[in-house]
Amino acid sequence: MIKGILTDMDGTILNSEGKLSPYTKSVLKEVLDNGIKLAVASGRFFPSIHDIFKEFDEEIIYTCNNGTWIENSSRTKVYHKSIFSIDEVKRIFAISKKLTKSGCFVCTPNEAIADQHYPYIEKEFKVSDARLIVVDDLFSIDEEITKITICVLEDINALSKSFKEELGDDYVVVISGDVWLDIIKKGASKANAFPILHDELGIKAEEMLIFGDYDNDIPMLKMSPNSFAMAD
């Protein structure tokens, strides 16, 4: 018997416009009405996820920023957070400037913050209704930084390899889309939603359905025998 669903968003349950189709909405409503718990996992920010799912009455678990921030939809409980120090941000930005001319920015649970305007990134953000804030001094912001992202203009696989060589085992470098390269703290991943469903809600692995479509979904797809990857 299925008691929980953990699913990726873009490329999985969202259509090409980044929205839930009427059919998918009807399926999710039936799922929630029948008491099945829903957790959605994405590289998106909390507000962007909530804009899509706020019409549903039941509590949903939002796994934001590739598993670095997990919170319920009513914002009454943060289950997990993985935070960078400013010194870590400085180090990774220095490495980024050495390796690429692609735009680099930090992410909080709610938004992206950069130290200069990147029109091509702002264009990409329109797809997910996210916003990029530009500040004069990125290293003095008083925000919880959950991940560092590069919007890649070159070969993303080669750049990912270069970052992994520079950072070693201290961080995880994840390709989370055609142009998105995320750097997150070691131990953070979309799979972090699994223990919430399993330990806190008592849902066994075999009682879950898990859906994904990209490299950053692999850790959570490994969590249940009932896991499904989208076809190309």
Side-chain angles (χ1 to χ4, degrees), residues 1-213:
M1 180 179 177
I2 299 301
K3 297 181 180 179
I5 294 175
L6 171 57
T7 181
D8 171 56
M9 290 175 56
D10 293 278
T12 303
I13 61 170
L14 301 186
N15 60 23
S16 59
E17 297 177 349
K19 299 178 180 179
L20 293 170
S21 69
Y23 173 75
T24 303
K25 286 183 181 181
S26 67
V27 171
L28 291 178
K29 186 176 186 307
E30 184 174 353
V31 162
L32 292 167
D33 286 347
N34 280 279
I36 296 173
K37 299 298 181 182
L38 176 63
V40 293
S42 177
R44 295 186 183 222
F45 305 95
F46 185 102
S48 178
I49 298 174
H50 191 59
D51 281 346
I52 293 170
F53 291 93
K54 63 185 177 184
E55 66 182 84
F56 297 102
D57 295 331
E58 299 298 323
E59 194 79 273
I60 299 172
I61 296 170
Y62 296 161
T63 301
C64 315
N65 290 354
N66 276 332
T68 59
W69 187 276
I70 305 179
E71 189 174 4
N72 60 0
S73 53
S74 63
R75 305 213 87 160
T76 57
K77 184 171 184 179
V78 175
Y79 294 98
H80 172 84
K81 59 181 177 179
S82 180
I83 307 300
F84 283 92
S85 70
I86 290 299
D87 285 342
E88 288 176 304
V89 174
K90 287 180 179 178
R91 178 194 172 203
I92 293 170
F93 262 62
I95 291 171
S96 179
K97 288 180 180 179
K98 181 174 71 171
L99 295 178
T100 179
K101 293 182 179 179
S102 297
C104 185
F105 56 92
V106 301
C107 299
T108 75
N110 298 313
E111 60 203 2
I113 305 174
D115 57 3
Q116 61 180 287
H117 282 284
Y118 294 104
Y120 83 100
I121 297 179
E122 292 168 0
K123 183 179 179 180
E124 290 283 348
F125 271 23
K126 288 180 181 178
V127 176
S128 61
D129 296 322
R131 63 175 181 162
L132 180 67
I133 295 174
V134 178
V135 297
D136 293 330
D137 185 359
L138 185 67
F139 304 131
S140 66
I141 61 173
D142 186 21
E143 302 280 353
E144 292 183 300
I145 297 170
T146 57
K147 71 173 181 176
I148 299 168
T149 298
I150 299 93
C151 189
V152 182
L153 295 169
E154 62 236 64
D155 184 335
I156 195 168
N157 290 294
L159 187 59
S160 174
K161 182 180 178 181
S162 296
F163 267 102
K164 288 176 181 177
E165 290 172 352
E166 287 281 348
L167 295 171
D169 295 330
D170 295 337
Y171 305 94
V172 178
V173 181
V174 180
I175 297 173
S176 58
D178 293 337
V179 299
W180 301 116
L181 187 66
D182 287 339
I183 298 169
I184 57 181
K185 300 275 283 188
K186 190 173 182 179
S189 79
K190 289 184 179 181
N192 288 336
F194 177 84
I196 295 167
L197 292 168
H198 184 272
D199 300 340
E200 296 207 25
L201 302 180
I203 302 173
K204 299 176 183 177
E206 59 269 23
E207 296 172 330
M208 293 185 207
L209 292 176
I210 301 180
F211 301 94
D213 79 314

